[in-house]
Amino acid sequence: MTVTSSQPSGGALLVVSAHAGDFVWRAGGAIALAAERGQRAKVLCLSFGERGESARAWREGLRLDEIKELRRTEATGAAAALGAEIEFLDAGDYPLTETPELVDRIVHVYREVNPSVVLTHTLTDPYNGDHPAAARMALQARVLAQASGYDAPGEPLGAPPVFFFEPHQPEQCDFKPNVLLDITPVFDKKRKAMECLAAQQHMWDYYTDLAKRRGVQLKRNAGPNLGLPHTTMGEAYVRLYPETTGTLA
C-alpha cells in the first residue's frame, strides 16, 4: 500500500464525478492539495444528482429545475472552497445513461484540460449504477482522447494515471485501496466544502470520520518515525494502471 504526501507534481487534475456531491466526499482532499500546489484542478460533474441524491429537496416540494439549480449552487460553492473549477454536463441521473454523445463531450474536456492525473469512481457499485457508468465513460473517453485520429480539438492525450476514489460502501464494491493520501494540511478546506452541500448534510460527519480512519491506516503504513500528527487525515484510492518508475520505493 502506497502512502502519498503532498509533494509537488506538474500538470492538471481532472475529476470525473457522477453527481454534484461525489467529488467532495471522495476526493476533496486531493483536489485541495492540487490547488494549493498551483495545479489546475477541474471537476467535471456529469449530473446534478437531482433525482437520486436530493431527497431532502424533493421532500420540501421543490421542482426538478429548482433542485438542479440548488445542487449547482452547492457544488459550485464546494469547488470554490477547494480551489477548483467545475463544469456541469447535466446528463441526468438515476439513471445516468451511457451514450456516445456523452463520451464525446468528456473526450473534449480531456483534450482541453490535458490532465496529468484523473480521479473517478470505481467500476463496481451495486448500490448506485450511476457511479460505475461514470467510471466506464471516463475510461473510454481517456482512451479516445489519446487517439491521434479522434475528431476533437486539441492534441492527443498522453497516458494520465487513473485513481478510483473510495465508494460509500467500500466492502460491497470490492474496494481495496493501494494508495493512501495524506490530506491533513487541507482537511479544513474539505470540511468547508462538505458543508456547502446542505442537501446531503447527513454525509458530513460520515466522511469526517472516514478521513480519520484512513489517517490511522496511513500512519500505520508510513512507519512509526515519520512524525505524522496524531490527527492525520487521509483519503483512499485504487490506482488502475501500473506505476512506471526507475526506482522502487
Side-chain angles (χ1 to χ4, degrees):
M1 181 178 289
T2 302
V3 181
T4 306
S5 64
S6 56
Q7 295 302 310
S9 60
L13 173 69
L14 176 63
V15 183
V16 181
S17 181
H19 310 112
D22 293 330
F23 72 94
V24 181
W25 319 123
R26 296 161 173 80
I31 295 168
L33 285 171
E36 283 204 348
R37 289 193 295 265
Q39 292 177 249
R40 181 184 183 187
K42 174 153 185 173
V43 176
L44 182 65
C45 273
L46 304 187
S47 82
F48 296 109
E50 62 270 17
R51 292 187 176 89
E53 302 192 349
S54 303
R56 177 178 173 182
W58 286 107
R59 288 195 299 269
E60 292 173 352
L62 273 65
R63 302 189 310 271
L64 178 62
D65 61 326
E66 293 174 324
I67 294 172
K68 285 185 177 183
E69 188 56 36
L70 170 67
R71 298 313 307 275
R72 178 195 291 273
T73 299
E74 289 184 353
T76 300
L82 297 171
E85 57 190 270
I86 191 166
E87 180 179 347
F88 302 93
L89 296 190
D90 193 12
D93 72 323
Y94 281 69
L96 173 62
T97 302
E98 299 172 62
T99 66
E101 293 77 17
L102 183 52
V103 171
D104 181 68
R105 293 174 72 186
I106 300 171
V107 171
H108 280 66
V109 173
Y110 270 104
R111 287 280 183 90
E112 188 273 322
V113 175
N114 189 23
S116 61
V117 175
V118 177
L119 308 181
T120 193
H121 297 268
T122 55
L123 289 166
T124 300
D125 190 335
Y127 295 95
N128 193 321
D130 290 359
H131 295 160
R136 288 190 295 267
M137 288 188 286
L139 294 178
Q140 183 182 5
R142 175 187 175 278
V143 171
L144 296 177
Q146 291 178 282
S148 298
Y150 191 88
D151 186 15
E155 295 298 317
L157 212 64
V162 176
F163 295 85
F164 297 141
F165 41 62
E166 184 163 6
H168 191 61
Q169 300 198 51
E171 297 84 359
Q172 306 305 317
C173 300
D174 299 324
F175 182 81
K176 184 178 180 180
N178 54 21
V179 176
L180 293 172
L181 181 70
D182 185 351
I183 63 168
T184 310
V186 296
F187 183 76
D188 286 348
K189 289 185 177 181
K190 179 170 181 174
R191 178 71 192 201
K192 288 178 182 178
M194 289 195 289
E195 291 176 0
C196 292
L197 303 172
Q200 294 178 282
Q201 186 172 347
H202 60 286
M203 306 277 263
W204 298 355
D205 288 342
Y206 177 91
Y207 279 98
T208 297
D209 292 340
L210 179 60
K212 292 177 183 177
R213 294 196 298 274
R214 291 307 188 189
V216 169
Q217 295 167 353
L218 188 149
K219 288 191 294 181
R220 176 79 173 181
N221 284 275
N225 301 314
L226 295 186
L228 293 173
H230 179 68
T231 55
T232 298
M233 307 294 267
E235 286 176 345
Y237 295 86
V238 168
R239 183 176 181 130
L240 177 61
Y241 300 107
E243 180 182 7
T244 59
T245 180
T247 304
L248 294 177

